[in-house]
Amino acid sequence: MPASNKNSSGRADLAYRELKREVVKLARDVMRGADDQKVLASRLAEGARNVGRTADNIASLNVDAATVAETRELAQAMKGLGESANGYANRADTTSRTAEYVGREAARFHEGIQQAVDNAPVQMADRTWYAQE
């Protein structure tokens, strides 16, 4: 990155390629998180089914009604958690796809500009010069 791309504090500005890399990384990280949530949702759903079966089994053994009801409530709570985790995973999938789309659009609109800057025979001026009237 040329020295002219430094701001007044001396830190290098975020270059297009770095931004592109970060968007791709973010999309990957979000997708991994969504996959983890899907696994959690699946486990919770299976656990809810198992607890529901347990409630049915203990009811057939004439266990007191309060215990059976509590077991069924636990199954319902686990089912709700699983549904919530699945909803979160679906939203994370959407977020990941959006990040990938943004990355593709950034490349489509700005890659040519970056190539022109990289191939320019003269160095770009400091950004403050372009803001002058």
Side-chain angles (χ1 to χ4, degrees), residues 19-95:
L19 176 61
K20 186 175 168 183
R21 222 178 0 261
E22 288 300 314
V23 168
V24 168
K25 182 181 177 293
L26 174 63
R28 257 193 321 257
D29 290 349
V30 170
M31 185 57 73
R32 273 191 219 109
D35 291 342
D36 291 346
Q37 284 298 121
K38 287 176 186 175
V39 169
L40 175 61
S42 176
R43 287 180 182 161
L44 284 167
E46 181 61 30
R49 285 190 294 274
N50 289 338
V51 171
R53 283 191 290 271
T54 299
D56 293 341
N57 289 338
I58 64 173
S60 72
L61 297 172
N62 295 322
V63 172
D64 66 287
T67 301
V68 172
E70 287 175 0
T71 306
R72 286 195 172 124
E73 286 176 18
L74 175 60
Q76 284 300 103
M78 289 176 70
K79 181 181 177 188
L81 285 172
E83 289 169 354
S84 294
N86 198 40
Y88 179 84
N90 289 336
R91 287 187 294 282
D93 276 341
T94 300
T95 301

Side-chain angles (χ1 to χ4, degrees), residues 79-111:
K79 181 181 177 188
L81 285 172
E83 289 169 354
S84 294
N86 198 40
Y88 179 84
N90 289 336
R91 287 187 294 282
D93 276 341
T94 300
T95 301
S96 176
R97 284 192 301 274
T98 301
E100 288 172 346
Y101 173 78
V102 167
R104 284 192 306 274
E105 287 299 293
R108 188 169 74 86
F109 286 117
H110 300 289
E111 186 69 33

